[in-house]
Amino acid sequence: SQQGEEDPQALSIQEGENATMNCSYKTSINNLQWYRQNSGRGLVHLILIRSNEREKHSGRLRVTLDTSKKSSSLLITASRAADTASYFCATDAGTGNQFYFGTGTSLTVIP
Amino acid sequence: DTEVTQTPKHLVMGMTNKKSLKCEQHMGHRAMYWYKQKAKKPPELMFVYSYEKLSINESVPSRFSPECPNSSLLNLHLHALQPEDSALYLCASRDTNNEKLFFGSGTQLSVL
């Protein structure tokens, strides 16, 4: 399977706290993306980091990438109840056309 | 218009039925995807179309038959499905110059 692994599987935090989730993958990549999914809905793209980048920021999101360890992390700062969702990393397995999703982290932000 | 529209939103079908799922986008994206997602699991890649041609089939059973009639439309024809095929079926599209996927809201399929 091309699928990556994410941890933790589930994360519950208080509003205002930071949330960190990790993704490990198996093959070489061109880029790694993070998506968010509200229950039973489609996925929404959050941020993309290329294989030659180590860190990227977008608003309250910070993504890091360590290609030597084949891992990435997503940090959401100052979390809000509206951030409650599942978060998935996705890699292209070096193909540029096929995108495979990690196992996901279910985040609950308690108001 | 940055939407990917999937119809129907819900579908219940028997194992002997034939049905089709529809996906439409008007963003000019030339890559389109079908994913299958079981509850509390990640989306699994099924098919990739590139410039209306099937480029990837992830060893999907033949009871699932994709079709891309034009650059805006993607169908998934279903026949003789099994109860274990019950899942959320997601369509996505992508500009071939960009890696970002745009997803529809999905079709929740139940096979009885």
Side-chain angles (χ1 to χ4, degrees):
Chain A
S1 168
Q2 305 272 14
Q3 198 175 89
E5 297 282 331
E6 288 184 57
D7 77 88
Q9 286 189 1
L11 180 61
S12 184
I13 58 174
Q14 297 288 333
E15 204 165 30
E17 293 181 337
N18 295 342
T20 299
M21 47 206 91
N22 304 295
C23 166
S24 59
Y25 55 92
K26 299 175 184 175
T27 65
S28 297
I29 61 171
N30 293 315
N31 62 75
L32 185 143
Q33 304 179 58
W34 285 89
Y35 287 81
R36 165 198 167 120
Q37 184 179 35
N38 287 84
S39 181
R41 305 285 293 174
L43 285 79
V44 175
H45 180 268
L46 294 176
I47 193 166
L48 177 150
I49 186 165
R50 301 197 180 281
S51 59
N52 61 354
E53 297 176 310
R54 291 296 166 258
E55 187 170 314
K56 203 160 183 181
H57 297 254
S58 176
R60 294 185 295 115
L61 305 179
R62 173 178 167 252
V63 171
T64 62
L65 179 64
D66 186 335
T67 52
S68 66
K69 295 181 180 177
K70 291 188 168 58
S71 69
S72 174
S73 67
L74 173 67
L75 168 68
I76 304 174
T77 60
S79 63
R80 305 166 182 168
D83 294 329
T84 295
S86 292
Y87 292 81
F88 295 94
C89 64
T91 61
D92 68 344
T95 66
N97 194 30
Q98 296 152 247
F99 297 90
Y100 299 95
F101 286 84
T103 50
T105 293
S106 176
L107 173 66
T108 301
V109 181
I110 302 164
Chain B
D1 183 1
T2 57
E3 260 194 18
V4 176
T5 303
Q6 287 189 246
T7 54
K9 291 194 184 308
H10 299 91
L11 179 61
V12 179
M13 60 185 291
M15 290 190 284
T16 58
N17 291 161
K18 285 185 182 181
K19 297 285 185 183
S20 297
L21 310 184
K22 179 179 170 181
C23 173
E24 199 163 3
Q25 56 88 14
H26 297 287
M27 294 178 279
H29 292 172
R30 304 306 293 274
M32 296 186 77
Y33 300 74
W34 281 114
Y35 283 87
K36 172 184 176 179
Q37 186 179 27
K38 303 280 271 186
K40 299 191 187 302
K41 297 291 186 182
E44 294 177 19
L45 183 62
M46 299 176 72
F47 302 104
V48 181
Y49 272 83
S50 181
Y51 293 90
E52 294 90 70
K53 290 190 179 353
L54 182 64
S55 61
I56 301 292
N57 176 342
E58 291 278 326
S59 303
V60 179
S62 60
R63 58 186 184 270
F64 295 91
S65 175
E67 179 196 19
C68 190
N70 58 59
S71 59
S72 300
L73 193 54
L74 186 66
N75 297 321
L76 186 62
H77 303 297
L78 314 173
H79 175 53
L81 294 194
Q82 304 296 309
E84 59 264 29
D85 296 322
S86 298
L88 181 68
Y89 287 83
L90 293 162
C91 172
S93 71
R94 181 177 70 87
D95 182 329
T96 49
N97 294 318
N98 191 314
E99 298 88 346
K100 176 180 174 181
L101 292 170
F102 288 79
F103 280 86
S105 295
T107 294
Q108 187 66 55
L109 174 68
S110 295
V111 182
L112 305 179

